[in-house]
PDB file of all heavy atoms in Angstrom:
ATOM      1  N   LEU A 585     -72.030 -31.169 -83.926  1.00 90.00           N
ATOM      2  CA  LEU A 585     -73.046 -32.191 -83.647  1.00 90.00           C
ATOM      3  C   LEU A 585     -72.499 -33.304 -82.762  1.00 90.00           C
ATOM      4  O   LEU A 585     -73.157 -33.747 -81.824  1.00 90.00           O
ATOM      5  CB  LEU A 585     -73.578 -32.780 -84.950  1.00 90.00           C
ATOM      6  CG  LEU A 585     -74.740 -32.053 -85.584  1.00 90.00           C
ATOM      7  CD1 LEU A 585     -75.068 -32.667 -86.937  1.00 90.00           C
ATOM      8  CD2 LEU A 585     -75.954 -32.082 -84.702  1.00 90.00           C
ATOM      9  N   THR A 586     -71.293 -33.741 -83.055  1.00 88.00           N
ATOM     10  CA  THR A 586     -70.697 -34.825 -82.272  1.00 88.00           C
ATOM     11  C   THR A 586     -70.426 -34.382 -80.837  1.00 88.00           C
ATOM     12  O   THR A 586     -70.776 -35.088 -79.884  1.00 88.00           O
ATOM     13  CB  THR A 586     -69.398 -35.317 -82.933  1.00 88.00           C
ATOM     14  OG1 THR A 586     -69.687 -35.723 -84.266  1.00 88.00           O
ATOM     15  CG2 THR A 586     -68.794 -36.472 -82.168  1.00 88.00           C
ATOM     16  N   ILE A 587     -69.834 -33.210 -80.690  1.00 90.00           N
ATOM     17  CA  ILE A 587     -69.450 -32.737 -79.354  1.00 90.00           C
ATOM     18  C   ILE A 587     -70.668 -32.432 -78.491  1.00 90.00           C
ATOM     19  O   ILE A 587     -70.672 -32.701 -77.290  1.00 90.00           O
ATOM     20  CB  ILE A 587     -68.535 -31.500 -79.473  1.00 90.00           C
ATOM     21  CG1 ILE A 587     -67.183 -31.925 -80.031  1.00 90.00           C
ATOM     22  CG2 ILE A 587     -68.362 -30.805 -78.137  1.00 90.00           C
ATOM     23  CD1 ILE A 587     -66.293 -30.772 -80.405  1.00 90.00           C
ATOM     24  N   VAL A 588     -71.720 -31.900 -79.086  1.00 92.00           N
ATOM     25  CA  VAL A 588     -72.901 -31.518 -78.314  1.00 92.00           C
ATOM     26  C   VAL A 588     -73.840 -32.705 -78.085  1.00 92.00           C
ATOM     27  O   VAL A 588     -74.376 -32.892 -76.993  1.00 92.00           O
ATOM     28  CB  VAL A 588     -73.647 -30.358 -79.016  1.00 92.00           C
ATOM     29  CG1 VAL A 588     -74.991 -30.101 -78.391  1.00 92.00           C
ATOM     30  CG2 VAL A 588     -72.798 -29.098 -78.985  1.00 92.00           C
ATOM     31  N   THR A 589     -74.036 -33.519 -79.084  1.00 91.00           N
ATOM     32  CA  THR A 589     -75.054 -34.558 -79.027  1.00 91.00           C
ATOM     33  C   THR A 589     -74.714 -35.694 -78.058  1.00 91.00           C
ATOM     34  O   THR A 589     -75.604 -36.186 -77.359  1.00 91.00           O
ATOM     35  CB  THR A 589     -75.313 -35.134 -80.430  1.00 91.00           C
ATOM     36  OG1 THR A 589     -75.608 -34.054 -81.308  1.00 91.00           O
ATOM     37  CG2 THR A 589     -76.464 -36.099 -80.420  1.00 91.00           C
ATOM     38  N   ILE A 590     -73.467 -36.108 -78.002  1.00 90.00           N
ATOM     39  CA  ILE A 590     -73.105 -37.252 -77.162  1.00 90.00           C
ATOM     40  C   ILE A 590     -73.411 -36.998 -75.680  1.00 90.00           C
ATOM     41  O   ILE A 590     -74.125 -37.787 -75.057  1.00 90.00           O
ATOM     42  CB  ILE A 590     -71.637 -37.672 -77.385  1.00 90.00           C
ATOM     43  CG1 ILE A 590     -71.506 -38.298 -78.779  1.00 90.00           C
ATOM     44  CG2 ILE A 590     -71.175 -38.654 -76.319  1.00 90.00           C
ATOM     45  CD1 ILE A 590     -70.098 -38.595 -79.179  1.00 90.00           C
ATOM     46  N   PRO A 591     -72.923 -35.902 -75.088  1.00 92.00           N
ATOM     47  CA  PRO A 591     -73.272 -35.701 -73.669  1.00 92.00           C
ATOM     48  C   PRO A 591     -74.761 -35.465 -73.452  1.00 92.00           C
ATOM     49  O   PRO A 591     -75.323 -35.915 -72.448  1.00 92.00           O
ATOM     50  CB  PRO A 591     -72.469 -34.466 -73.250  1.00 92.00           C
ATOM     51  CG  PRO A 591     -71.572 -34.140 -74.359  1.00 92.00           C
ATOM     52  CD  PRO A 591     -71.983 -34.898 -75.544  1.00 92.00           C
ATOM     53  N   VAL A 592     -75.408 -34.785 -74.399  1.00 93.00           N
ATOM     54  CA  VAL A 592     -76.834 -34.500 -74.245  1.00 93.00           C
ATOM     55  C   VAL A 592     -77.649 -35.792 -74.242  1.00 93.00           C
ATOM     56  O   VAL A 592     -78.501 -35.997 -73.370  1.00 93.00           O
ATOM     57  CB  VAL A 592     -77.328 -33.529 -75.339  1.00 93.00           C
ATOM     58  CG1 VAL A 592     -78.840 -33.467 -75.377  1.00 93.00           C
ATOM     59  CG2 VAL A 592     -76.750 -32.146 -75.118  1.00 93.00           C
ATOM     60  N   ILE A 593     -77.394 -36.687 -75.188  1.00 91.00           N
ATOM     61  CA  ILE A 593     -78.198 -37.911 -75.271  1.00 91.00           C
ATOM     62  C   ILE A 593     -77.919 -38.823 -74.071  1.00 91.00           C
ATOM     63  O   ILE A 593     -78.832 -39.464 -73.545  1.00 91.00           O
ATOM     64  CB  ILE A 593     -78.002 -38.659 -76.616  1.00 91.00           C
ATOM     65  CG1 ILE A 593     -79.074 -39.731 -76.787  1.00 91.00           C
ATOM     66  CG2 ILE A 593     -76.636 -39.277 -76.729  1.00 91.00           C
ATOM     67  CD1 ILE A 593     -80.465 -39.243 -76.881  1.00 91.00           C
TER      68      ILE A 593
END
Side-chain angles (χ1 to χ4, degrees):
L585 272 174
T586 303
I587 290 170
V588 170
T589 307
I590 290 173
V592 168
I593 193 64

